[in-house]
Amino acid sequence: MREFAGDILVTERLDPLVSPGKVSSHAHSIIGGSNFGMNVTTASLRDSECTTMPIQEDKSNYWFPHLYFQCEWVLLCVFPCILIPSKLISLPRIDYLFNDAEDGQPNTVKAFPDDFRMLSGDTTLRSYNASSYAQQAVTFLCLDFNGVSTKYNMLPPISCPSGIRAQINFPMCWDGVNLDSPSHQSHVSFPSGGPDSGTCDDPNYPVTLPRVFIEGYWSTGQWDAIRDQAMNSTQPYVFANGDPTGYGYHADFINGWKSGVLQNVLDKCACTSAGFGDATCCGDLGVFTLETSGSCSLTPIVDEQTLGILDKLPGNNPVNAGPADAPVLAASSIPAILAPAYAYTGASPTATGTIVTPASGATGSGSPATTASAVGAVTTNASVGSSSSVGSVATALPHL
């Protein structure tokens, strides 16, 4: 079952899974239910005013680090940033993958329980271990819609004619007990054959969940035209966590499905007449409500610029290519916090929050910090961001 998110809900430095109740270490692009915030529960998400997901009963939150283009000098980024057109923007996609029940046999895949959450990937990684299922779960496609698209385990070190697709699988085997774990990973496991094959035959993880697969499309075409003006012309992109390799790519999930709906999908939604994985058929059966033309956005909670021309990555994350794991550094300052956050379905909000917690120069957050410049690459509007470190500039890239 495939869902194309209609919008990025918001791009900001929040992560209610890893950093609940505080500003997180780096900027994420968030999709899903509009009740996203510093602290999130299944109950609160179900009360969301809107969702970016076409299946209206899916008010879960999904998020991943934003992508930036690292310029060598600020002025080289200003003009191209302004000219990036909205037509380059595309949509993130969420796939829920599961095997149909055999003839006459009941479905054995279980829906996520209330308050279930998990993380896939490791933000600190800067090298690749080919034997690790967790690292195999992260791949990138160098897209060429008029030729052959090539898969990489890293950010592609070449120009990609049709952009870059970041791909990540989540574990699908659950211990059946814990809704979360200290690592946000040890309560789940990948199946026996790797991140996208096999079964849940480990007795420690006996419950089969739907496999969540997130695809993020990054519009890199026009930025590739100025690669010679980048800090690194071979690979000019960097994720918000200061990762120019892609090995530290990661994504988070918190369940916000309306009670009973996802299990109904798993039990009854086996039709594919509208095309592989297309949700239209199941929507026509009344299994859920499908709305593909709506929109949903959220005003910021963290009073901080994450898109546009930036002199450093949000959170002050230095670009670190490894191969050693990236260190966790304290943030140099904490932005002001705005409240309330307003959900809106039009082109712009009718109101924005006011400062409820002033900015602070104190570190104290334990957030990783890195210095770098970049161009944010995932957005669902025409905004383009950039950031840079000393001697460089970064720009946020639009989502394809």
Side-chain angles (χ1 to χ4, degrees):
M1 180 182 67
R2 178 165 295 163
E3 290 190 85
F4 286 95
D7 296 281
I8 296 296
L9 181 72
V10 66
T11 297
E12 62 180 336
R13 207 149 46 97
L14 287 183
D15 187 337
L17 181 62
V18 176
S19 305
K22 63 183 181 182
V23 177
S24 66
S25 64
H26 51 272
H28 298 97
S29 283
I30 299 99
I31 56 179
S34 60
N35 272 358
F36 179 81
M38 286 188 171
N39 294 285
V40 171
T41 66
T42 295
S44 68
L45 287 177
R46 285 175 178 157
D47 286 337
S48 294
E49 181 177 334
C50 60
T51 177
T52 68
M53 308 310 295
I55 298 175
Q56 297 300 288
E57 291 83 358
D58 181 11
K59 294 179 178 176
S60 306
N61 280 143
Y62 314 79
W63 62 96
F64 40 83
H66 202 77
L67 186 66
Y68 294 80
F69 179 93
Q70 188 178 12
C71 301
E72 185 173 8
W73 303 108
V74 174
L75 292 179
L76 296 181
C77 287
V78 174
F79 190 68
C81 288
I82 293 172
L83 288 183
I84 288 192
S86 59
K87 69 179 182 180
L88 291 178
I89 297 163
S90 186
L91 308 175
R93 187 172 76 186
I94 310 293
D95 288 342
Y96 274 70
L97 304 169
F98 52 94
N99 293 324
D100 296 338
E102 296 180 2
D103 292 342
Q105 300 298 315
N107 166 58
T108 58
V109 182
K110 300 302 180 185
F112 301 110
D114 286 8
D115 290 326
F116 182 88
R117 54 198 66 202
M118 60 179 167
L119 165 69
S120 186
D122 184 341
T123 186
T124 69
L125 290 178
R126 298 295 185 270
S127 61
Y128 187 69
N129 177 1
S131 65
S132 167
Y133 284 177
Q135 288 197 257
Q136 291 174 23
V138 176
T139 55
F140 299 89
L141 273 187
C142 183
L143 297 171
D144 185 350
F145 297 149
N146 296 313
V148 177
S149 296
T150 306
K151 186 165 73 173
Y152 291 85
N153 297 114
M154 67 193 84
L155 277 169
I158 61 173
S159 178
C160 299
S162 306
I164 296 171
R165 190 171 84 189
Q167 309 176 140
I168 187 165
N169 275 293
F170 281 80
M172 56 176 279
C173 303
W174 177 41
D175 66 13
V177 177
N178 298 290
L179 303 176
D180 197 1
S181 53
S183 66
H184 313 295
Q185 296 178 318
S186 61
H187 60 308
V188 289
S189 178
F190 290 102
S192 57
D196 57 3
S197 65
T199 58
C200 298
D201 53 9
D202 184 337
N204 295 312
Y205 302 94
V207 179
T208 303
L209 303 169
R211 175 163 59 92
V212 176
F213 180 58
I214 299 179
E215 302 173 12
Y217 293 81
W218 302 95
S219 179
T220 58
Q222 291 197 10
W223 295 102
D224 281 344
I226 60 166
R227 290 170 78 99
D228 61 333
Q229 301 172 16
M231 181 66 74
N232 178 357
S233 60
T234 301
Q235 202 301 94
Y237 303 104
V238 58
F239 282 109
N241 54 330
D243 176 21
T245 68
Y247 299 136
Y249 189 67
H250 56 283
D252 306 66
F253 165 75
I254 294 181
N255 177 33
W257 279 86
K258 182 179 178 180
S259 181
V261 172
L262 181 56
Q263 191 61 58
N264 204 25
V265 171
L266 298 171
D267 292 339
K268 299 179 180 179
C269 190
C271 58
T272 57
S273 60
F276 175 75
D278 193 287
T280 304
C281 180
C282 298
D284 291 343
L285 290 176
V287 178
F288 45 65
T289 306
L290 197 63
E291 174 55 68
T292 58
S293 60
S295 65
C296 181
S297 301
L298 187 68
T299 61
I301 295 171
V302 180
D303 188 16
E304 175 184 48
Q305 182 181 352
T306 57
L307 304 176
I309 304 299
L310 307 175
D311 61 1
K312 60 185 177 183
L313 291 172
N316 195 30
N317 292 283
V319 176
N320 187 319
D325 288 357
V328 177
L329 306 175
S332 58
S333 63
I334 307 299
I337 302 302
L338 305 173
Y342 292 92
Y344 59 101
T345 57
S348 59
T350 58
T352 56
T354 58
I355 294 176
V356 294
T357 303
S360 170
T363 53
S365 69
S367 300
T370 54
T371 58
S373 65
V375 173
V378 174
T379 62
T380 51
N381 55 40
S383 299
V384 179
S386 70
S387 83
S388 71
S389 59
V390 177
S392 68
V393 173
T395 304
L397 299 180
H399 211 269
L400 284 175

